[in-house]
Amino acid sequence: QMDKQAEEIAKEMGDADVIREGEAIVIKFKEQVLFAYDRSDLNANAKTSLDKLRTTLLKYPETNITVIGHTDSKGTKQYNQTLSESRANSVANYTSQNGVDRNRLTAIGKGETDPIATNDTEEGSASNRRVEFVITANDKMKADAKKETGK
C-alpha cells in the first residue's frame, strides 16, 4: 500500500521529491520556498502544491501525516523554533480545511536545526524556509498488511 501511495504521490505532484525511507514516505517540495521571510502564511504556489497532494492523502485514509516546519538561521533559535511550528501548523490547518482528517495530522517544528542549504546566501536561506511531509501507516494499515503477509 505504501509503495503504491508513494508512486501515486510522485505522479500527482511532479514538483516534489517523493522518497521511501523505511516504512515512511517523505515528501520534499522542489518549489521549496513555501514561505516568505519571517512569515508562516501560505502563498498561492504553496496552496497549489498542497492541493495536488490532497487528492492522494484523501485516497489513503489509513495513513498518518507529520508536517515538519523549518526555518533559515536568521533570528534567535527560540524565535525560529516558534516560527517553524507556526509554519507546520499553517500547512496542517490548510490540509485539514481541505478535507483531510485533522486527527491524521501532526505538526512539529525543527527551527533552524535541519538546513538543506547554506544560510550564507539568500537563495540558500529561502530553501531552508520549508515544510516536509512524512507519511506513515496507521495501526489499522499495519495490521491489515500483517494479515496479508500471513496468508
Side-chain angles (χ1 to χ4, degrees):
Q1 282 278 40
M2 295 296 285
D3 289 334
K4 184 177 175 186
Q5 185 177 359
E7 285 176 28
E8 288 182 32
I9 291 169
K11 191 174 4 171
E12 285 285 321
M13 296 299 295
D15 59 348
D17 290 323
V18 180
I19 305 154
R20 282 285 274 143
E21 287 185 3
E23 296 298 312
I25 301 168
V26 178
I27 302 167
K28 298 180 180 190
F29 293 95
K30 290 179 186 170
E31 170 55 47
Q32 293 179 351
V33 187
L34 292 174
F35 299 98
Y37 174 71
D38 199 30
R39 303 296 300 257
S40 63
D41 53 319
L42 296 171
N43 63 34
N45 289 342
K47 289 179 180 179
T48 299
S49 294
L50 294 172
D51 290 344
K52 287 181 192 176
L53 180 59
R54 173 187 169 270
T55 305
T56 308
L57 295 178
L58 289 172
K59 191 173 178 181
Y60 294 92
E62 295 173 351
T63 55
N64 295 322
I65 305 144
T66 302
V67 181
I68 305 168
H70 301 273
T71 66
D72 58 30
S73 63
K74 296 175 184 152
T76 67
K77 287 186 189 299
Q78 182 55 49
Y79 181 82
N80 287 335
Q81 179 62 38
T82 301
L83 180 59
S84 69
E85 291 166 8
S86 294
R87 288 176 173 167
N89 281 311
S90 181
V91 169
N93 290 338
Y94 181 83
T95 303
S96 70
Q97 289 164 3
N98 286 285
V100 177
D101 184 349
R102 185 67 170 107
N103 293 322
R104 295 174 57 198
L105 295 158
T106 302
I108 62 171
K110 288 201 171 183
E112 61 189 66
T113 63
D114 196 13
I116 57 169
T118 180
N119 281 299
D120 295 336
T121 66
E122 184 49 44
E123 185 179 88
S125 291
S127 292
N128 290 326
R129 297 190 294 265
R130 70 194 193 283
V131 294
E132 296 171 348
F133 282 76
V134 178
I135 301 171
T136 55
N138 70 9
D139 291 339
K140 183 181 181 321
M141 183 184 264
K142 288 176 188 174
D144 290 348
K146 205 173 209 176
K147 284 181 198 170
E148 281 296 312
T149 48
K151 287 183 180 177

